[in-house]
Amino acid sequence: MKEIGLFYAMNAAKTSHIAEKIREKLGHKEVEMILIEKAWQNDFQAYDNLIVGASTWFDGELPTYWDEMVPEIESLDLKGKKVALFGLGDQIGYPDNFVDGLGILAEAFEKAGATLVGFTSSEGYSFAHSKALRNGKWCGLVIDIENQSKLTDKRIADWCNQLKEEF
Ligand SMILES: Cc1cc2nc3c(=O)[nH]c(=O)nc-3n(C[C@H](O)[C@H](O)[C@H](O)COP(=O)(O)O)c2cc1C
């Protein structure tokens, strides 16, 4: 497995916590953490394997800092790069926009030519609509700390094992 760049926002407390857990599972040496608020285009180009995490806010939008990054991500040339996404959301509080931010990020990285990996089953979640579904699967790892915190560690462990195969 090549070195991985893990991108997340420093302002996002829960996302940062999950990012740290993912790094622990994959190995500190293998994963470099990059704060999106300080990231430059070169940081995305520097890795063949990327992990990118964000929560959903504002009824189906990315948090502000990520929102501003989307046009920039879309303009990058990320052909040949593998991107694994994770998203945080609240399926009870926001059933009509559950983890939409994950779907918005997926679209941006696809426009940049990246290959998405790390898709997971949507079974075991209860919601009405989400932009993060692709043929019935999540286009990444979905974490709901508000309602399913007991499942979080296993979801992360399974996903990290999957990434070891897919990266
Ligand atoms: C104002 C507000 C709006 C939210 N909107 C959504 C939403 O549209 N969809 C969703 O799935 N979760 C939504 N959430 C839940 C957050 O995504 C969830 O709490 C997440 O764990 C926050 O992570 P963060 O602290 O890293 O930003 C919202 C939370 C707040 C406080």
Side-chain angles (χ1 to χ4, degrees):
M1 197 168 58
K2 290 181 189 165
E3 199 190 16
I4 301 163
L6 196 167
F7 294 76
Y8 67 105
M10 112 181 101
N11 290 345
K14 291 175 188 157
T15 307
S16 305
H17 177 66
I18 300 301
E20 284 295 342
K21 285 186 169 222
I22 290 170
R23 189 188 195 196
E24 267 168 37
K25 277 281 166 222
L26 288 174
H28 281 251
K29 274 195 204 137
E30 284 76 12
V31 180
E32 201 164 321
M33 308 290 259
I34 300 117
L35 296 171
I36 189 66
E37 292 92 338
K38 295 184 179 170
W40 296 89
Q41 288 199 358
N42 288 351
D43 290 318
F44 288 100
Q45 303 290 3
Y47 304 91
D48 290 329
N49 294 326
L50 289 83
I51 298 176
V52 182
S55 55
T56 299
W57 279 69
F58 313 123
D59 293 343
E61 303 288 337
L62 282 166
T64 313
Y65 27 88
W66 273 115
D67 213 20
E68 291 159 5
M69 285 298 289
V70 163
E72 200 159 325
I73 291 167
E74 288 177 355
S75 72
L76 296 174
D77 179 4
L78 298 178
K79 281 186 204 79
K81 300 201 181 284
K82 290 183 181 172
V83 178
L85 302 171
F86 69 96
L88 283 79
D90 171 352
Q91 61 200 287
I92 304 291
Y94 302 89
D96 293 327
N97 306 91
F98 182 47
V99 288
D100 275 358
L102 178 62
I104 297 168
L105 273 186
E107 220 178 285
F109 279 99
E110 279 171 334
K111 277 189 189 161
T115 302
L116 298 182
V117 298
F119 284 37
T120 59
S121 170
S122 60
E123 276 174 36
Y125 301 82
S126 176
F127 60 98
H129 294 286
S130 176
K131 284 184 189 160
L133 291 172
R134 298 279 187 282
N135 298 321
K137 285 190 104 179
W138 295 126
C139 54
L141 169 68
V142 171
I143 298 292
D144 182 340
I145 290 181
E146 273 79 10
N147 309 295
Q148 297 182 326
S149 62
K150 283 192 183 137
L151 302 179
T152 296
D153 284 349
K154 183 174 182 333
R155 282 175 174 164
I156 290 173
D158 289 348
W159 194 60
C160 288
N161 286 335
Q162 185 181 333
L163 292 188
K164 284 177 189 167
E165 301 289 323
E166 294 186 14
F167 271 153

Coordinates of all heavy atoms in Angstrom, one line a residue, residues 67-111:
D67 N -17.3 23.5 1.1 CA -18.1 24.1 0.1 C -17.2 25.0 -0.9 O -17.4 24.9 -2.1 CB -19.1 25.0 0.8 CG -20.4 25.1 0.0 OD1 -20.6 24.1 -0.8 OD2 -21.2 26.0 0.2
E68 N -16.3 25.8 -0.2 CA -15.5 26.6 -1.0 C -14.5 25.8 -1.8 O -14.0 26.3 -2.9 CB -14.7 27.6 -0.1 CG -15.7 28.6 0.5 CD -15.1 29.3 1.8 OE1 -13.9 29.0 2.2 OE2 -15.8 30.0 2.4
M69 N -14.1 24.6 -1.4 CA -13.1 23.8 -2.1 C -13.7 23.1 -3.3 O -12.9 22.7 -4.1 CB -12.6 22.7 -1.1 CG -11.6 23.2 0.0 SD -10.1 23.9 -0.7 CE -9.3 22.4 -1.4
V70 N -15.0 22.9 -3.3 CA -15.5 22.0 -4.4 C -15.1 22.5 -5.8 O -14.7 21.7 -6.6 CB -17.0 21.8 -4.2 CG1 -17.7 21.3 -5.5 CG2 -17.3 20.9 -3.1
P71 N -15.3 23.8 -6.2 CA -14.9 24.2 -7.5 C -13.4 23.9 -7.8 O -13.0 23.6 -8.9 CB -15.2 25.7 -7.6 CG -16.1 25.9 -6.4 CD -15.9 24.9 -5.4
E72 N -12.6 24.1 -6.8 CA -11.2 23.9 -6.9 C -10.9 22.4 -7.1 O -10.1 22.0 -8.0 CB -10.5 24.3 -5.6 CG -9.0 24.6 -5.9 CD -8.4 25.5 -4.8 OE1 -9.1 26.4 -4.4 OE2 -7.3 25.3 -4.5
I73 N -11.5 21.5 -6.4 CA -11.4 20.1 -6.6 C -11.8 19.7 -8.0 O -11.0 18.9 -8.6 CB -12.2 19.3 -5.5 CG1 -11.6 19.5 -4.1 CG2 -12.2 17.8 -5.8 CD1 -12.5 19.0 -3.0
E74 N -12.9 20.2 -8.4 CA -13.4 19.8 -9.8 C -12.4 20.2 -10.9 O -12.4 19.6 -11.9 CB -14.7 20.5 -10.0 CG -15.9 19.9 -9.2 CD -17.2 20.6 -9.3 OE1 -17.3 21.6 -10.0 OE2 -18.2 20.1 -8.8
S75 N -11.6 21.3 -10.6 CA -10.7 21.7 -11.6 C -9.4 21.0 -11.6 O -8.5 21.2 -12.5 CB -10.4 23.2 -11.5 OG -9.6 23.4 -10.3
L76 N -9.1 20.1 -10.6 CA -7.9 19.4 -10.6 C -7.9 18.2 -11.6 O -8.9 17.8 -12.0 CB -7.7 18.8 -9.2 CG -7.6 19.7 -8.0 CD1 -7.6 18.9 -6.7 CD2 -6.3 20.6 -8.1
D77 N -6.7 17.8 -11.9 CA -6.5 16.6 -12.7 C -6.1 15.4 -11.8 O -4.9 15.3 -11.4 CB -5.5 16.8 -13.9 CG -5.4 15.5 -14.7 OD1 -6.1 14.5 -14.4 OD2 -4.5 15.5 -15.6
L78 N -7.0 14.6 -11.4 CA -6.7 13.5 -10.4 C -6.8 12.1 -11.1 O -7.1 11.1 -10.4 CB -7.6 13.6 -9.2 CG -7.5 14.9 -8.4 CD1 -8.5 14.9 -7.2 CD2 -6.1 15.1 -7.9
K79 N -6.6 12.1 -12.4 CA -6.7 10.8 -13.1 C -5.6 9.9 -12.6 O -4.5 10.3 -12.3 CB -6.5 11.0 -14.6 CG -7.7 11.5 -15.3 CD -7.5 11.5 -16.8 CE -8.5 12.5 -17.4 NZ -8.0 13.9 -17.3
G80 N -6.0 8.6 -12.4 CA -5.0 7.7 -11.8 C -5.0 7.6 -10.3 O -4.3 6.8 -9.7
K81 N -5.7 8.5 -9.7 CA -5.7 8.6 -8.2 C -6.9 7.9 -7.7 O -8.0 7.9 -8.3 CB -5.6 10.0 -7.7 CG -4.4 10.7 -8.2 CD -4.0 11.9 -7.4 CE -2.8 12.6 -7.9 NZ -1.5 11.9 -7.6
K82 N -6.7 7.2 -6.5 CA -7.8 6.5 -5.9 C -8.2 7.4 -4.7 O -7.4 7.8 -3.9 CB -7.4 5.1 -5.4 CG -7.3 4.2 -6.6 CD -6.9 2.8 -6.1 CE -6.7 1.8 -7.3 NZ -6.2 0.5 -6.8
V83 N -9.5 7.6 -4.6 CA -10.1 8.4 -3.5 C -11.1 7.6 -2.7 O -12.1 7.1 -3.3 CB -10.7 9.7 -4.0 CG1 -11.3 10.6 -2.9 CG2 -9.7 10.6 -4.8
A84 N -10.9 7.5 -1.4 CA -11.9 6.9 -0.5 C -12.5 8.0 0.4 O -11.8 8.8 1.0 CB -11.2 5.8 0.4
L85 N -13.8 8.1 0.4 CA -14.5 9.2 1.1 C -15.2 8.6 2.3 O -15.7 7.5 2.3 CB -15.6 9.8 0.2 CG -15.1 10.3 -1.2 CD1 -16.3 10.7 -2.1 CD2 -14.2 11.6 -1.0
F86 N -15.2 9.5 3.4 CA -16.1 9.1 4.5 C -16.9 10.4 4.9 O -16.5 11.5 4.7 CB -15.4 8.6 5.7 CG -14.5 9.5 6.4 CD1 -14.9 10.2 7.6 CD2 -13.2 9.7 6.0 CE1 -14.0 11.0 8.3 CE2 -12.3 10.6 6.7 CZ -12.8 11.2 7.8
G87 N -18.2 10.1 5.3 CA -19.1 11.2 5.6 C -19.8 11.0 6.9 O -20.1 9.8 7.3
L88 N -20.0 12.1 7.6 CA -20.8 12.0 8.9 C -22.1 12.7 8.7 O -22.2 13.7 8.0 CB -20.1 12.7 10.0 CG -18.9 12.0 10.6 CD1 -17.6 12.1 9.8 CD2 -18.6 12.5 12.0
G89 N -23.2 12.1 9.3 CA -24.5 12.7 9.2 C -25.4 12.2 10.3 O -25.0 11.3 11.1
D90 N -26.6 12.7 10.3 CA -27.6 12.3 11.4 C -28.9 11.9 10.7 O -29.6 12.7 10.2 CB -27.8 13.6 12.2 CG -28.9 13.5 13.2 OD1 -29.7 12.5 13.2 OD2 -29.1 14.4 14.1
Q91 N -29.1 10.5 10.7 CA -30.2 10.0 9.9 C -31.6 10.2 10.5 O -32.6 10.2 9.8 CB -30.0 8.5 9.6 CG -29.9 7.6 10.9 CD -29.3 6.3 10.7 OE1 -29.8 5.4 10.1 NE2 -28.1 6.1 11.2
I92 N -31.6 10.5 11.8 CA -32.9 10.7 12.4 C -33.2 12.2 12.3 O -34.3 12.6 12.0 CB -32.9 10.4 14.0 CG1 -32.5 8.9 14.2 CG2 -34.2 10.7 14.6 CD1 -33.5 7.9 13.7
G93 N -32.2 13.1 12.5 CA -32.5 14.5 12.5 C -32.6 15.0 11.1 O -33.4 16.0 10.8
Y94 N -32.0 14.4 10.1 CA -32.0 14.9 8.7 C -32.2 13.8 7.7 O -31.4 13.5 6.8 CB -30.6 15.6 8.4 CG -30.4 16.8 9.4 CD1 -29.7 16.5 10.5 CD2 -30.8 18.0 9.1 CE1 -29.4 17.6 11.4 CE2 -30.6 19.1 9.9 CZ -29.9 18.8 11.1 OH -29.7 19.9 12.0
P95 N -33.4 13.1 7.8 CA -33.6 11.9 7.0 C -33.7 12.2 5.5 O -33.5 11.3 4.7 CB -34.9 11.3 7.5 CG -35.6 12.5 8.2 CD -34.5 13.3 8.7
D96 N -34.0 13.4 5.1 CA -34.2 13.8 3.7 C -32.9 14.2 3.1 O -32.8 14.4 1.9 CB -35.2 14.9 3.5 CG -36.6 14.4 3.9 OD1 -36.9 13.2 3.7 OD2 -37.4 15.2 4.5
N97 N -31.9 14.5 3.9 CA -30.6 14.9 3.4 C -29.4 14.2 4.0 O -28.4 14.7 4.2 CB -30.4 16.4 3.7 CG -31.5 17.3 3.2 OD1 -32.5 17.5 3.9 ND2 -31.4 17.7 2.0
F98 N -29.7 12.9 4.3 CA -28.7 12.2 5.1 C -27.3 12.0 4.3 O -27.3 11.5 3.2 CB -29.2 10.8 5.5 CG -28.3 10.0 6.3 CD1 -27.7 10.5 7.5 CD2 -28.1 8.6 6.0 CE1 -26.8 9.8 8.2 CE2 -27.2 7.9 6.8 CZ -26.6 8.4 7.9
V99 N -26.3 12.5 5.0 CA -24.9 12.5 4.4 C -24.9 13.0 2.9 O -24.0 12.5 2.2 CB -24.1 11.2 4.6 CG1 -23.7 11.0 6.0 CG2 -24.9 10.0 4.1
D100 N -25.7 13.9 2.6 CA -25.6 14.5 1.2 C -24.2 15.0 0.9 O -23.8 14.9 -0.3 CB -26.6 15.7 1.1 CG -28.0 15.2 0.7 OD1 -28.2 13.9 0.6 OD2 -28.9 16.0 0.6
G101 N -23.5 15.5 1.9 CA -22.2 16.1 1.6 C -21.2 15.0 1.0 O -20.4 15.4 0.2
L102 N -21.4 13.8 1.4 CA -20.6 12.7 0.9 C -20.8 12.6 -0.6 O -19.9 12.4 -1.4 CB -20.9 11.4 1.6 CG -20.2 10.1 1.2 CD1 -18.7 10.2 1.4 CD2 -20.8 8.9 2.0
G103 N -22.1 12.7 -1.0 CA -22.4 12.6 -2.4 C -21.9 13.8 -3.2 O -21.4 13.6 -4.4
I104 N -21.9 15.0 -2.6 CA -21.4 16.2 -3.3 C -19.9 16.0 -3.5 O -19.4 16.3 -4.6 CB -21.8 17.4 -2.4 CG1 -23.3 17.6 -2.4 CG2 -21.1 18.7 -3.0 CD1 -23.7 18.6 -1.3
L105 N -19.2 15.6 -2.5 CA -17.8 15.4 -2.6 C -17.4 14.3 -3.7 O -16.5 14.5 -4.5 CB -17.2 14.9 -1.3 CG -16.7 15.9 -0.3 CD1 -16.0 15.2 0.9 CD2 -15.8 17.0 -0.9
A106 N -18.2 13.2 -3.7 CA -18.0 12.2 -4.7 C -18.1 12.7 -6.1 O -17.2 12.4 -6.9 CB -19.0 11.0 -4.5
E107 N -19.1 13.5 -6.3 CA -19.3 14.1 -7.7 C -18.1 15.0 -8.0 O -17.6 14.9 -9.2 CB -20.6 15.0 -7.6 CG -21.4 14.8 -8.9 CD -22.7 15.6 -8.8 OE1 -23.6 15.2 -8.1 OE2 -22.7 16.7 -9.4
A108 N -17.6 15.8 -7.1 CA -16.5 16.7 -7.3 C -15.2 15.9 -7.7 O -14.5 16.2 -8.7 CB -16.2 17.6 -6.1
F109 N -14.9 14.8 -6.9 CA -13.7 14.0 -7.2 C -13.9 13.2 -8.5 O -12.9 13.0 -9.2 CB -13.4 13.1 -6.0 CG -12.7 13.8 -5.0 CD1 -13.3 14.3 -3.8 CD2 -11.3 14.1 -5.1 CE1 -12.7 15.0 -2.8 CE2 -10.6 14.8 -4.1 CZ -11.3 15.3 -2.9
E110 N -15.1 12.8 -8.8 CA -15.3 12.1 -10.1 C -15.1 13.1 -11.3 O -14.5 12.7 -12.3 CB -16.7 11.6 -10.2 CG -16.9 10.2 -9.4 CD -18.3 9.7 -9.3 OE1 -19.2 10.6 -9.3 OE2 -18.5 8.5 -9.2
K111 N -15.5 14.3 -11.1 CA -15.3 15.3 -12.2 C -13.8 15.6 -12.4 O -13.4 15.9 -13.5 CB -16.0 16.7 -11.8 CG -17.4 16.7 -12.2 CD -18.0 18.1 -12.0 CE -19.6 18.0 -12.2 NZ -20.3 19.1 -11.6

